[in-house]
Amino acid sequence: MTYKDIYESSMHDPEAFWMQAAGAIDWDKTPSKALFDENAPFYEWFSDGLVNTCHNAVDRHVEAGRGEQAAIIHDSPITGAKSTITYADLQTRVASLAGALRAKGVGKGDRVIIYMPMVPEALMAMLACARLGAIHSVVFGGFAANELAVRIDDATPKAIIAASCGVEPGRVIEYKPLLEGAIKQASHKPDFCVILQREQSRADLIPGFDFDWHEFQQGVTPADCVPVEGNHPVYILYTSGTTGAPKGVVRPTGGHLVALNWTMKNFYQVDPGDVFWAASDVGWVVGHSYICYAPLIHGNTTIVFEGKPVGTPDASTFWRVISEHNVRSFFTAPTAFRAIKREDPKGELIKGYDITCLRALYLAGERADPDTIEWAQKVMKVPVYDHWWQTETGYPIVGNPAGIEALPVRIGSPTVAMPGYDVRILDEGGHELPAGALGAIVIKLPLPPGTLPTLWNADERYKKSYLTTFPGYYETGDAGMLDEDGYLYVMARTDDVINVAGHRLSTGGMEEVLAAHPEVAECAVIGVTDQLKGQLPVGFLCLNKGSEASNEDVVRDCIKLVRDQIGPVAAFKLAVVVERLPKTRSGKILRGTMVSIADGKPFKMPATIDDPVILDEVRTALQTIGYAKD
Ligand code: COA
Ligand code: AMP
């Protein structure tokens, strides 16, 4: 069958298409149908089935005789550690951890926050929760205590599972002070914490509240998998929206299993037993879907890589990992390749490694610029597939269906819609636009299985954020166009979200932090183009009238404030003090125009601008930090 046949069958008869895909999953009770649309616009899939994610990701492979196959390879150039965990080991370790959590009262529906670096135990913690039907929420290690506190208050976890530390190049990040700070700040208090002690820095445990990862498992009865309904959430993953309050994306169990499993062969071209590597972090959706769940559900070997594309120890790390572990398909963010290209522009380092095991490179998480794609193709000598998706969907919306049929690559486009996704382009009034016209990228409802059914405890916010602007469609927040052949081009975000090194961040959230500085009367944060990270945030600060603080002091304080409140991952290192912000006559800050000035791009003077002179002040301020070059 061609891609076109498969795509059309998913559109004409989604019931048959998804029920057939569901056949690859082990159900405790087979669902009676695929789509449950009784509560539209809240759609659910496989709701009346009973199933367990951990059984499908671990136990069934052991039962099928794959027990001795590697499930997880941990490769940590940053600590020097390397280990392999078979499916049989994984089953034993996850069942034991789940048993210990159950003995402390964690059960189906309870939330558990996981705050861990790239160690295999992070995956075990996720799987142990899934085994019990508990709902995990992984928080990325690069977020500050405040962000963790916000998530604790929203998810109200019964327990938190954390490591004693993470390791970044040149520094060990102690997690315990961040964790304690967050628990102190949050109104909700978990019943207990489980701490994985790492040798790089051991944490002091609070007796009766903190339990050592190993000790608390001693003597417990291992837990079996608890079947849950198809619509039961397997996890909540917080992502940036327009405000500082992150959105809790809910992932439903049944659709997640079915859809992720489908993508592994049809999209990422791997068969059970093949090694699949996604170089991301478990704190992001890529890590949830393609480090943890999809490869394990599909019976692949996954790599947990604790390192960076450069500097651990050099720009050849990716090539070493691919060749040493026989990686078949590799997934990362374009920023990682920009970093490698910058260090080793001629691709000399790859010559020392045999990477003929690799079939393709998959890039996502941010726009893949043509230079990066072409460079990667040239040095790696494999097809490079850009693909586009988001935390909300959990797996590709648009990509090259290489496992079915490799379509010709058109550089600049992540290719075509995946089965189940009816992607359209609308104008501001909600009218469908013809091929070649730029507009809002939307998906006609219902979204396919595995995508978010709602936001955690926030049905109204879900409707307002995604379903209200264009009734009948899901609003992706991206703008772009479709060409005559259905190839999508993703151009920009339509909201205040920016993408820094493949990390999705909210400029609105940063503005909230800056506005809390006592000397700051008004502020704006924009995302400017950066050669390495794609975008970088730049803050504009207007100080209070009569403020006696020096500009340098306020800028320094503000940079520290964002690092302390949001975290180092915000990469907020650039801010300028300006007298006024450019606005429309109705008071809307002209952020888009400021971005054009910073990037040196031509722009049309907004007809509604209040005072055009302010744009010159913005340009002058940006020039002091190396932007807005003439
Ligand atoms: N825990 C604590 N701190 C973290 C962290 C973590 N898990 N991850 C990142 N940070 C810190 C970094 O140390 C850095 O701190 P610094 O300001 O003191 O230097 C800061 O957050 C920014 O991190 P990041 O934006 O990731 O940049 P980087 O300097 O670590 O380098 C590149 C990253 C440029 C090499 C980039 O190519 C890369 O690999 N980014 C990650 C891509 C990715 O996995 N995206 C996920 C979506 S697929
Ligand atoms: P996240 O939810 O963190 O995965 O971020 C999703 C957002 O990243 C999308 O809405 C896009 O703005 C951007 N993005 C992800 N992949 C791509 C891609 N291949 N091309 C362009 N933008 C992308």
Side-chain angles (χ1 to χ4, degrees):
M1 285 235 277
T2 62
Y3 153 76
K4 198 160 172 279
D5 296 333
I6 292 179
Y7 180 76
E8 279 173 6
S9 76
S10 81
M11 288 293 117
H12 290 142
D13 193 353
E15 258 320 288
F17 181 88
W18 290 114
M19 283 306 272
Q20 192 191 1
I25 294 303
D26 269 11
W27 297 86
D28 292 273
K29 177 175 164 260
T30 309
S32 64
K33 58 175 183 168
L35 179 64
F36 287 71
D37 57 2
E38 294 77 4
N39 263 336
F42 297 95
Y43 294 94
E44 291 182 350
W45 296 85
F46 310 115
S47 308
D48 67 0
L50 285 175
V51 69
N52 183 278
T53 298
C54 186
H55 169 79
N56 277 280
V58 184
D59 299 51
R60 69 160 168 166
H61 303 309
V62 179
E63 286 162 19
R66 292 184 170 277
E68 292 317 306
Q69 182 196 310
I72 301 174
I73 295 171
H74 182 222
D75 189 312
S76 170
I78 205 154
T79 64
K82 266 189 214 173
S83 61
T84 299
I85 295 160
T86 65
Y87 271 103
D89 293 340
L90 187 61
Q91 184 185 33
T92 308
R93 292 172 70 173
V94 170
S96 163
L97 178 63
L101 290 170
R102 185 181 57 188
K104 290 244 163 302
V106 175
K108 183 181 167 198
D110 290 332
R111 273 80 58 212
V112 176
I113 279 188
I114 299 172
Y115 190 53
M116 296 183 91
M118 287 297 288
V119 291
E121 287 83 354
L123 276 61
M124 291 174 202
M126 295 162 82
L127 292 163
C129 291
R131 195 170 186 87
L132 298 172
I135 303 164
H136 65 67
S137 188
V138 182
V139 179
F140 177 61
F143 281 126
N146 177 60
E147 291 287 323
L148 182 54
V150 169
R151 287 154 176 79
I152 293 173
D153 275 336
D154 199 70
T156 59
K158 195 165 226 175
I160 300 184
I161 306 179
S164 57
C165 67
V167 189
E168 281 292 290
R171 68 182 201 278
V172 170
I173 292 146
E174 292 183 6
Y175 280 15
K176 196 67 200 320
L178 294 168
L179 181 59
E180 278 175 22
I183 294 174
K184 204 163 145 205
Q185 190 180 328
S187 314
H188 171 83
K189 309 291 172 198
D191 292 354
F192 67 99
C193 295
V194 179
I195 308 291
L196 174 76
Q197 296 282 21
R198 300 190 77 192
E199 63 187 47
Q200 289 77 16
S201 171
R202 294 178 70 83
D204 291 332
L205 304 188
I206 304 167
F209 182 69
D210 292 330
F211 295 91
D212 174 81
W213 173 281
H214 295 289
E215 281 170 17
F216 106 121
Q217 295 185 42
Q218 275 166 18
V220 300
T221 310
D224 287 334
C225 295
V226 176
V228 300
E229 298 73 22
N231 59 356
H232 181 74
V234 59
Y235 70 76
I236 306 163
L237 177 57
Y238 289 90
T239 189
S240 301
T242 35
T243 67
K247 297 169 172 169
V249 169
V250 172
R251 188 76 57 216
T253 299
H256 181 236
L257 284 163
V258 173
L260 288 191
N261 186 64
W262 188 91
T263 59
M264 290 308 281
K265 175 70 183 163
N266 295 294
F267 186 72
Y268 293 107
Q269 305 184 73
V270 284
D271 290 311
D274 286 345
V275 181
F276 180 84
W277 179 25
S280 178
D281 188 286
V282 280
W284 306 112
V285 72
V286 176
H288 281 62
S289 295
Y290 292 108
I291 295 173
C292 183
Y293 288 114
L296 296 178
I297 293 164
H298 194 247
N300 292 104
T301 300
T302 187
I303 297 186
V304 173
F305 171 75
E306 191 180 23
K308 303 269 173 178
V310 294
T312 59
D314 59 28
S316 73
T317 304
F318 277 9
W319 319 139
R320 175 191 63 77
V321 173
I322 292 169
S323 106
E324 190 173 323
H325 303 302
N326 201 24
V327 173
R328 288 294 222 182
S329 290
F330 176 44
F331 178 169
T332 193
T335 189
F337 269 80
R338 289 196 295 268
I340 296 173
K341 179 167 146 238
R342 196 165 74 164
E343 296 269 304
D344 179 21
K346 295 210 174 104
E348 296 290 343
L349 293 171
I350 204 167
K351 293 181 185 148
Y353 298 90
D354 177 3
I355 64 156
T356 49
C357 52
L358 192 73
R359 262 196 211 122
L361 166 68
Y362 292 81
L363 296 176
E366 56 170 332
R367 187 177 162 268
D369 51 292
D371 277 359
T372 302
I373 296 185
E374 280 159 7
W375 185 84
Q377 243 158 12
K378 199 173 88 202
V379 305
M380 296 175 81
K381 301 184 177 61
V382 294
V384 178
Y385 298 126
D386 178 14
H387 58 313
W388 169 75
W389 50 292
Q390 39 186 215
T391 305
E392 288 83 346
T393 64
Y395 62 101
I397 309 169
V398 165
N400 197 319
I404 302 170
E405 167 194 19
L407 297 181
V409 169
R410 292 184 187 169
I411 289 189
S413 165
T415 318
V416 294
M418 290 291 100
Y421 287 104
D422 187 352
V423 178
R424 314 262 179 116
I425 307 293
L426 303 184
D427 69 11
E428 279 179 6
H431 309 105
E432 206 168 327
L433 287 167
L438 189 66
I441 309 175
V442 300
I443 303 164
K444 194 165 185 299
L445 293 172
L447 292 175
T451 55
L452 82 173
T454 189
L455 294 173
W456 181 250
N457 277 339
D459 285 349
E460 279 313 307
R461 188 174 182 201
Y462 169 69
K463 282 206 275 189
K464 194 160 164 272
S465 303
Y466 302 107
L467 309 182
T468 306
T469 317
F470 304 110
Y473 299 90
Y474 165 85
E475 184 182 8
T476 65
D478 285 307
M481 62 179 185
L482 284 163
D483 73 10
E484 300 284 351
D485 303 315
Y487 278 60
L488 181 78
Y489 293 77
V490 183
M491 314 302 273
R493 288 289 299 189
T494 55
D495 56 13
D496 297 331
V497 165
I498 58 169
N499 201 310
V500 181
H503 309 316
R504 174 166 159 184
L505 298 165
S506 161
T507 53
M510 294 185 216
E511 288 175 6
E512 284 174 28
V513 173
L514 299 177
H517 188 287
E519 300 293 344
V520 172
E522 205 182 9
C523 64
V525 175
I526 59 167
V528 301
T529 301
D530 180 72
Q531 290 302 323
L532 177 65
K533 296 195 177 189
Q535 280 184 300
L536 274 183
V538 171
F540 290 80
L541 311 165
C542 299
L543 306 192
N544 290 323
K545 284 261 166 322
S547 166
E548 293 191 350
S550 80
N551 290 355
E552 293 73 32
D553 285 349
V554 178
V555 164
R556 202 187 44 241
D557 288 355
C558 282
I559 289 172
K560 183 167 180 320
L561 213 54
V562 174
R563 196 175 171 95
D564 291 348
Q565 295 275 309
I566 297 178
V569 68
F572 184 82
K573 293 182 179 169
L574 297 169
V576 286
V577 173
V578 287
E579 279 297 311
R580 300 167 295 173
L581 293 170
K583 291 184 185 168
T584 61
R585 280 190 283 278
S586 60
K588 203 169 160 283
I589 299 172
L590 291 162
R591 291 184 181 78
T593 311
M594 293 160 82
V595 172
S596 299
I597 294 174
D599 291 349
K601 286 202 185 125
F603 62 91
K604 237 172 78 197
M605 183 65 73
T608 55
I609 191 163
D610 186 33
D611 182 356
V613 174
I614 305 179
L615 293 182
D616 294 329
E617 295 170 17
V618 164
R619 177 175 287 110
T620 309
L622 279 164
Q623 284 170 346
T624 64
I625 54 167
Y627 285 86
K629 296 197 186 106
D630 292 326

